[in-house]
Amino acid sequence: MGFANLRCSRAARLTTGNIAHVIFLTNDVSFSKSLSKALPDRVFRQIGLSDCSPEVAKRFVITHLDSDPDDLDVEGKPQKLTTSQRRKDLGELDEVISLLGGRLTDLEFLARRIKTGETPKRAVQAIVDQSASEILKMYLFGVE
């Protein structure tokens, strides 16, 4: 019996015995075949996980920029122009998001760097440089 089939049969026993709910995380597109053999009478719920689209990523970064408390005037009222409207370099966002991707943590990091005054291109370059440095430390130099 293969490793995947063994996991499915154990999960099937837990599920049919009402002992536990079982969640499988996999990148195998044929996973339902193994599960269907182990639990032929069950309906499976699937959730696909992926990075967000470039449009959603851009909207996310802009929303983070505009949620800045510095967007209030001295009386505590919202200024006429939001942070994203005052910045002239946000046209670079489309280009840098295609390089960076749609991972939430990377987009939050990008927004924080832009808030500190970096251009989107410089922010992404700094993120890439930092990640490359961390990879070198961990895998080549054995430093954690």
Side-chain angles (χ1 to χ4, degrees):
M1 181 182 286
F3 185 64
N5 290 335
L6 180 63
R7 286 184 294 180
C8 285
S9 63
R10 286 182 180 165
R13 282 191 300 241
L14 291 172
T15 303
T16 55
N18 290 325
I19 296 169
H21 293 279
V22 178
I23 298 173
F24 283 97
L25 299 176
T26 182
N27 59 0
D28 180 8
V29 293
S30 65
F31 74 92
S32 61
K33 195 178 207 179
S34 300
L35 288 176
S36 294
K37 285 181 184 177
L39 295 164
D41 60 335
R42 301 290 170 131
V43 176
F44 304 107
R45 295 185 199 115
Q46 300 177 36
I47 299 173
L49 303 175
S50 63
D51 290 351
C52 62
S53 68
E55 298 82 28
V56 172
K58 182 177 181 179
R59 203 171 34 222
F60 178 83
V61 171
I62 289 172
T63 300
H64 266 278
L65 292 175
D66 290 344
S67 67
D68 192 358
D70 291 339
D71 286 341
L72 301 177
D73 64 14
V74 291
E75 297 172 1
K77 296 178 183 172
Q79 293 185 16
K80 291 181 182 176
L81 295 176
T82 63
T83 301
S84 64
Q85 291 170 329
R86 287 192 304 268
R87 298 215 35 150
K88 297 186 187 313
D89 54 9
L90 290 185
E92 298 175 4
L93 271 181
D94 291 324
E95 181 184 344
V96 299
I97 285 174
S98 68
L99 296 172
L100 192 62
R103 284 187 45 214
L104 179 66
T105 53
D106 292 337
L107 295 171
E108 287 173 331
F109 195 32
L110 173 64
R112 281 195 306 270
R113 293 191 81 100
I114 292 172
K115 275 185 179 183
T116 64
E118 287 186 81
T119 67
K121 284 184 180 179
R122 282 193 183 158
V124 167
Q125 187 59 51
I127 292 169
V128 169
D129 291 345
Q130 182 178 356
S131 296
S133 174
E134 290 173 8
I135 290 168
L136 287 173
K137 285 179 192 173
M138 288 184 346
Y139 295 104
L140 293 179
F141 304 126
V143 178
E144 291 191 31

